[in-house]
Structure formats: C-alpha cells, structure tokens
C-alpha cells in the first residue's frame, strides 16, 4: 500500500489529469456546440476532487489498514468508522472521534506508534480535518509531536482538538502549542495530562496568541499558582474571545489564595467568559468573599463551578448575596463543600433568600454539603416561591421527615407547572416519606 509520499503523488497526478481533461472537454464544447453537451456532463459527474478524491474506493482507509499491518498495530475501529462515514456523507470536511474510553476501542487504544501511522496517512487529508477527539488514550510526548506534524498551517479547517486524559508532558505540549497558533482552533481540551508548570505557561502563551480560541479545558494538568496568575494577567490585558475556561485542580501549596484574587480581578472586567470552572482550588471563605466582590460587577458569567473546595457558611452567605443582586448565573455548582458543617443553617438560609430574589438561576448543585434537615427545609421553602429553578442536586445530605415531606409536597405540586428535575425521588410508605437516589444526566 502507498506511503504518505505515494499518496501525495497520486493525489497530484489525479488533479493534473482532471485539469487537462477539463481543458480538452472545454475545447470540444466550444468547437462542437450542443452535440458534445452530454459528454461534458458525464465527465463532470465523474470527477472527484478534494476530500472525496482521497476517500474514493476507500483509498484512505486501505492506506491506514496497510500501515497498521506493516507496523503490527491494530486498526482502530472508531477511526475506521469515521472514514466510512465521511465517504458516505460526501462533505468537504471530515472528523475523527476515537476516545479510548469507548468499549469498541478498549483493546486498540491509540498510542505513540499509532499516531505515527495516522500522521503519515492523514497528512494529505489534514486540510479537510475539522474535529479530532483522541481523549482517554495512551498518547505521550512522542505521539503529541507526531500529531503536531499533522497540524500547522495545513489544518485550515480544524476547529476542535480533544486530548483529555492522556500522558502528554511539557515537550508534547510545546510541540502542539507551536503549531496550533496557526490554526483556526476554537476548542482545545488537554485536561488530565501531566503538563506541570512549564506546560501550563505554554497554554497561557497559546491563549495570548490565539484570539479565536473560544474554549480551553486545562484542569488537572498539575499547573501551579504561577500559571493561574499568568493566565489571569493575560486575559485582563489582551483581547480574547475565550468564553469557557476550566482550570480545576491546580497544584496550590499556599493558603493565602492569591490566585483567587487575580482570577476575580480578571472576571471583574472580562466581558467574554461565560463558563468558569474553579473546582478543587482549595478556596476557603475569605477567597470566596473576595471572588464574589469582583463578580458583583460581572454581568456576563452564566456558569460558575466551585465544587470540591472548602467553602463554609460564610461563602454561602456571599454567594447568596450574589444571587440576590442581579446575578446572571444560570448554573451554580457548590457540591462537595462544607456549607452545612456542624448543623450550621446560616449558609443554607442565605442561599434560600438569594434564590427568592433571583430570576435567572436554573441549575443548583448542593450535594455532599452536610446539610441538616432544617437547612434542607429552608431551601425547600424558598423553592415554593422560586419557579425559575429547573434542576436541583441535593440527595447526598442529611434528610429528616419534615424536610422529606416538604420536598414531597413540592415535587408533587411542581408537576402542574414547571417541573423540578431533582437527583432524588420521594415516596410515601407506611405514612413515612422516603428519599431515594435518582440517576440524572450531568
């Protein structure tokens, strides 16, 4: 089967031959007039160019299978499926979605050797690749470098690149960032890779030099406080279209929460970011207070994720104030904090009051907050006056009969109006209200 060089030569000869044939047909039409029209129509209908010329007769798929056979590697069934779908769709672009957590690819996850094959075979088709998903595979620095050779100025249609949960380090990140600056990339997910501080700073540089980037997911990359501060400074001083930012679980070794202040200052003046994920930031009450002070001036943020921090009742009070003072938040995730620690109800009360005066929030997650029955009842009473909330996560807390009965009545009554989609259901057995967990879409 042809190598990359052979594919390129075949591709060029195909286009040259078609160009010469078009000139001959054009000349014959000019000389013979209407008599040659059917012949001209037949020639145009048989012409294949661009991506479809490469996919014709499964040429690209056969080349991929051949290279896998030579290298003694398995053909990834998801890559194969994407090529078959692209040939059937007959569009100008194609995508490759081959996440390693798909059960069909469990024994054929993509590693560095596989990316060497893909970079060879797909080189001629890279101008038509619009989306690439290689999440949950076995890609390291070498594989990232092979992937970088596939990108660059040639990848003129690439809009989404997902490399979540691989083994890419600083070297691989550097190779990718250098070539992605010249692409029209809009979504980049490199979370759950061991990039460290060096790789994190390269992502900051990518944000600075990629004004068209809309979504960046860099959570769980072992970035430290220097990376967060640099990222906040870049987003404050340089124009960016970034709308979604995920910086969860950095390596924070200080309790002073300086990074929270820098991120808050950035959000005070930022008019583009709508989704902000700040989970596992070791954020405490003082950090939350400072963050909320800045967010009070922000009118564009729609999604705020503060899961798995150390937020207590004081933090809940500040967030309740945010909800009550014209916040545009649609989704608020406060799961896995300590708002109701030691039967404290002040935090729940503040959030309940904020919900009553808020007309935008639709999704609220308060799971794993040690909320007692009284705190749950306060939230339930506020929901009787708030009809905007449509999604509630509350099961993993400390229920009692009064709070269970209140939500039983609430969920039954809500069915007549706007239904409340909760992660639990209530049922009455022997004059007792029982709460059971209900699986819901995240």
């Amino acid at each position: 089967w042809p190598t990359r060089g052979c594919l390129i030569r075949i591709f060029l000869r195909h286009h040259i031959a078609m160009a010469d044939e078009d000139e001959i047909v054009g000349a014959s039409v000019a000389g013979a007039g209407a008599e040659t029209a059917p012949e001209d129509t037949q020639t145009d209908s048989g012409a294949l160019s661009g991506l479809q010329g490469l996919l014709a007769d499964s040429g690209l798929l056969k080349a991929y299978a051949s290279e896998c056979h030579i290298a003694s590697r398995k053909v990834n069934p998801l890559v194969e499926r994407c090529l078959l779908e692209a040939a059937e769709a007959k569009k100008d672009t194609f995508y490759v979605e081959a996440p390693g957590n798909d059960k069909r690819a469990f024994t054929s996850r993509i590693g560095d050797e596989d990316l060497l094959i893909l970079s060879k075979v797909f080189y001629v088709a890279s101008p038509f690749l619009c989306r690439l998903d290689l999440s949950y595979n076995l890609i390291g620095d070498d594989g990232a470098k092979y992937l970088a050779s596939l990108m660059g100025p040639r990848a003129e249609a690439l809009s989404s690149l997902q490399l979540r949960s691989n083994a890419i380090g600083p070297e691989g990140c550097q190779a990718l960032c250098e070539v992605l600056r010249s692409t029209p990339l809009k979504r980049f997910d490199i979370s759950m890779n061991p990039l460290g501080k060096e790789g994190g700073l390269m992502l900051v540089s990518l944000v600075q030099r990629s004004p068209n980037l809309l979504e960046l997911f860099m959570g769980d990359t072992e970035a430290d406080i220097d990376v967060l501060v640099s990222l906040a400074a870049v987003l404050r001083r340089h124009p960016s279209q970034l709308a979604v930012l995920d910086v969860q679980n950095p390596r924070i070794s200080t309790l002073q929460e300086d990074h929270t202040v820098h991120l808050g200052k950035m959000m005070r003046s930022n008019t583009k970011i709508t989704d902000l994920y700040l989970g596992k930031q070791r954020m405490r009450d003082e950090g939350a207070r400072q963050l909320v002070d800045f967010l009070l001036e922000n009118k564009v943020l729609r999604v705020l994720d503060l899961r798995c921090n150390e937020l207590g009742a004081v933090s809940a009070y500040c967030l309740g104030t945010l909800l009550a003072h014209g916040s545009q938040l649609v989704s608020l995730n406060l799961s896995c904090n300590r708002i109701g620690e030691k039967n404290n109800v002040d935090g729940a009360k503040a959030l309940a009051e904020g919900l009553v005066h808020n007309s935008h929030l639709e999704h609220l997650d308060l799971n794993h907050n040690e909320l007692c029955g009284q705190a749950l009842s306060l939230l339930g009473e506020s929901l009787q006056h708030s009809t905007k909330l449509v999604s509630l996560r509350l099961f993993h807390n400390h229920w009692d009969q009064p709070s269970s009965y209140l939500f039983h009545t609430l969920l039954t009554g809500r069915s007549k109006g706007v239904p409340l989609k909760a992660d639990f259901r209530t049922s009455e057995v022997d004059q007792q209200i029982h709460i059971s967990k209900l699986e819901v879409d995240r």
Side-chain angles (χ1 to χ4, degrees), residues 15 115 192 274 280 344 434 438:
H15 279 279
L115 268 177
M192 301 176 69
T274 59
K280 300 181 180 180
N344 192 314
H434 296 267
L438 182 64

Side-chain angles (χ1 to χ4, degrees), residues 131 143 213 217 327 347 403 429:
R131 189 168 73 251
L213 188 64
F217 298 86
S327 170
S403 58
V429 180

Side-chain angles (χ1 to χ4, degrees), residues 127-147:
F128 312 106
L129 182 63
C130 66
R131 189 168 73 251
L132 180 61
D133 184 357
L134 300 178
S135 302
Y136 302 101
N137 279 292
L138 306 173
I139 303 170
D141 284 338
D142 290 338
K145 293 176 183 178
Y146 296 142
L147 183 60

Side-chain angles (χ1 to χ4, degrees), residues 139-142 144-145 166-177 190 193-196 198-200 202 221-222:
I139 303 170
D141 284 338
D142 290 338
K145 293 176 183 178
N166 279 283
I168 301 173
E171 292 184 13
C173 183
Q174 180 179 6
L176 289 170
C177 289
I190 197 169
N193 281 279
L195 304 182
E198 186 179 353
M202 293 173 189
T221 56
E222 301 180 8

Side-chain angles (χ1 to χ4, degrees), residues 160-371:
S160 176
L161 177 60
Q162 296 178 241
L163 299 172
R164 180 184 183 88
S165 189
N166 279 283
I168 301 173
E171 292 184 13
C173 183
Q174 180 179 6
L176 289 170
C177 289
E178 288 177 353
V179 298
L180 290 177
R181 296 167 185 166
S182 58
T183 66
L185 191 68
K186 294 182 179 180
R187 176 188 173 92
F188 187 29
D189 186 350
I190 197 169
S191 54
M192 301 176 69
N193 281 279
L195 304 182
K197 175 180 178 179
E198 186 179 353
L201 291 175
M202 293 173 189
L203 292 177
V204 174
S205 178
L206 176 65
V207 171
Q208 182 177 352
R209 303 183 184 183
S210 302
N212 296 322
L213 188 64
L214 299 179
E215 302 179 17
L216 176 62
F217 298 86
M218 53 179 290
D220 290 282
T221 56
E222 301 180 8
D224 64 3
I225 189 171
D226 293 338
V227 174
L228 297 182
V229 172
S230 299
L231 179 61
V234 165
L235 291 174
R236 283 179 62 193
R237 300 171 185 172
H238 299 274
S240 172
Q241 298 298 315
L242 196 67
V244 179
L245 178 61
D246 181 351
V247 288
Q248 296 187 88
N249 196 23
R251 294 295 182 265
I252 302 297
S253 58
T254 176
L255 297 178
Q256 296 180 354
E257 302 187 83
D258 293 339
H259 60 291
T260 304
V261 176
H262 286 276
L263 289 171
K265 289 181 178 179
M266 178 270 293
M267 289 303 300
R268 177 174 59 183
S269 57
N270 190 286
T271 59
K272 299 296 183 181
I273 294 181
T274 59
D275 298 25
L276 183 61
Y277 298 86
L278 298 178
K280 300 181 180 180
Q281 295 264 343
R282 299 191 68 181
M283 188 184 304
R284 297 187 173 188
D285 288 341
E286 179 59 23
R289 184 191 65 78
Q290 296 185 72
L291 177 64
V292 169
D293 284 345
F294 294 119
L295 291 181
L296 285 170
E297 302 180 41
N298 183 295
K299 301 303 179 184
V300 297
L301 188 64
R302 297 294 182 269
V303 176
L304 179 60
D305 193 324
L306 299 175
R307 73 181 76 186
C308 302
N309 279 289
E310 302 174 28
L311 307 181
V314 175
S315 300
Y317 176 82
C318 297
L319 290 166
T321 302
L322 178 65
L323 292 177
H325 287 76
S327 170
Q328 304 295 308
L329 283 178
V330 174
S331 175
L332 178 61
N333 190 340
L334 298 174
S335 62
C336 301
N337 281 284
R338 53 184 186 87
I339 295 174
E341 188 177 47
K342 298 181 179 179
N343 294 328
N344 192 314
V345 300
D346 294 338
K349 181 179 180 181
L351 289 174
E353 293 175 354
L355 288 174
V356 172
H357 296 91
N358 186 276
S359 59
H360 296 93
L361 194 70
E362 298 179 3
H363 310 282
L364 177 62
D365 192 337
L366 286 169
N367 267 321
H368 299 286
N369 268 281
E370 304 181 46
L371 298 176

Side-chain angles (χ1 to χ4, degrees), residues 50 103 123 163 212 248 380 412 415 427-428:
K103 62 181 181 180
Y123 183 78
L163 299 172
N212 296 322
Q248 296 187 88
T412 304
S415 61
S427 55
E428 185 175 359

